[in-house]
Amino acid sequence: MTRAFNFNAGPAAIPLEVLKQAQEQFVDYKGAGMSIMEMSHRSALYEQVNNESQALLRELFNIPSNYHVLFLQGGASTQFAMLPLNLLRPGSPGAYVMTGAWADKALKEAKLVGDTVVAASTEADKFMRMPTMAEIEVPENAAYLHLTSNETIGGTQFKEFPNTGNVPLIADMSSDILSRPIDVSQFGVIYAGAQKNLGPSGVTVVIIRDDLVKESPKTIPTMFRYDTHVKSSSLYNTPPSFSVYMVSLVLQWIKDRGGVAQLEQYNHDKTKLIYDAIDGSSGFYIGCAQPQSRSNMNITFRIHSEELEKKFIKESELEGFVGLKGHRDVGGLRASTYNAVPLESCQALTQFMIDFQKRNG
Ligand SMILES: *Cc1c(COP(=O)(O)O)cnc(C)c1O
């Protein structure tokens, strides 16, 4: 079997070791005579999976005890709405940092729910950078400040986070959660769809500070309330059990590799290869994001002609590379180098880039 050099943006690469372990346990999970998908989510075996995933995430991400860890459905996109539904109040707007496609979607949903304000925007720079901390203006009466820690489409990433005082800081970390250590206590809520850095699609992780759970308006439907899922430990209704199980395997894989700080170094080594290939190409490849905002998860770049970009994608596919086409909204090229993408894939891509330039430069 040859595994593809998988640079997909999401769903994305899952560690081969994890896939093999899931394969081993697929038909008969821990001697139950059935797969994890076939058993009750109220069974002791599944409860163990649910608890272990929570505990592992707490340990790896150093989550303080006054935070809850939830496994929800509906993707990060549902959080765009669930968050303002639960946290917005009349006279207290949701403040949004506008950094690209995902931030925009989050803002648009909040506008359907209540008042919003833009706390900073890098639109004038075509979203090719993140704002500096000084550029972010948090209104004192804001219900929260929302930002997107990594813009998956633009390829930009926050390297530090603003101090928002009493205003809760909320982050959509869908495309960089667990790629680097973070001080969780800086945040009120962190959420992330699993399908980029945590496992398969179908489950969304929400990390929420206890005080933010308590005062959701009475009128919100049950499934959209954070307190519903906190009270039931994410077992209010049938959970996406196979996805949660896969996340638990990925988390154990991260732990076995030494944890998140270790992964950060590994991710740095991986992306440096590719950014160096861009910067060392004498302008043949052009990095999209401004250097200080470059993402360690999604590397966006271009070639001076669209013809050559098409050729790059076509030839890369013939050599086993997958997912190097930029998002349809922005074009160009993109290599997503999430936690599970091995260094070897990045080495192979770097070599391919150098060879492609030699043939076409
Ligand atoms: C992929 C992505 C989303 C959307 O996630 P879904 O789970 O598909 O709803 C939201 N935000 C960011 C930053 C993403 O990368």
Side-chain angles (χ1 to χ4, degrees), residues 1-115:
M1 176 196 61
T2 30
R3 295 268 294 161
F5 297 122
N6 185 351
F7 291 96
N8 276 330
I14 292 176
L16 180 60
E17 296 90 335
V18 166
L19 295 174
K20 285 187 168 159
Q21 191 183 349
Q23 183 180 43
E24 245 168 58
Q25 297 183 320
F26 194 71
V27 174
D28 182 13
Y29 182 71
K30 293 194 174 173
M34 66 185 81
S35 73
I36 194 93
M37 288 174 287
E38 300 168 281
M39 63 180 64
S40 168
H41 57 290
R42 311 286 174 201
S43 64
L45 271 179
Y46 183 73
E47 205 166 307
Q48 197 184 355
V49 169
N50 191 44
N51 292 343
E52 267 176 24
S53 314
Q54 270 193 43
L56 274 169
L57 190 61
R58 281 184 180 285
E59 179 186 338
L60 290 169
F61 217 26
N62 212 357
I63 301 174
S65 59
N66 61 325
Y67 286 74
H68 304 280
V69 174
L70 307 175
F71 299 120
L72 307 183
Q73 299 193 60
S77 301
T78 297
Q79 292 310 305
F80 294 163
M82 196 163 160
L83 187 84
L85 278 171
N86 282 269
L87 299 186
L88 278 191
R89 299 285 177 276
S92 188
Y96 282 75
V97 183
M98 279 300 302
T99 50
W102 289 115
D104 187 50
K105 284 196 168 167
L107 173 61
K108 283 201 172 109
E109 286 301 295
K111 280 184 178 166
L112 298 173
V113 176
D115 291 338

Side-chain angles (χ1 to χ4, degrees), residues 9-10 74-78 80 102-103 105 148-153 172-176 191-196 201-204 298 338:
S77 301
T78 297
F80 294 163
W102 289 115
K105 284 196 168 167
T148 310
S149 58
N150 184 75
E151 280 284 0
T152 322
I153 294 173
D172 174 2
M173 289 195 190
S174 291
S175 51
D176 69 347
Y191 63 90
Q195 67 272 23
K196 282 132 191 175
S201 61
V203 61
T204 308
N298 308 98
Y338 301 121

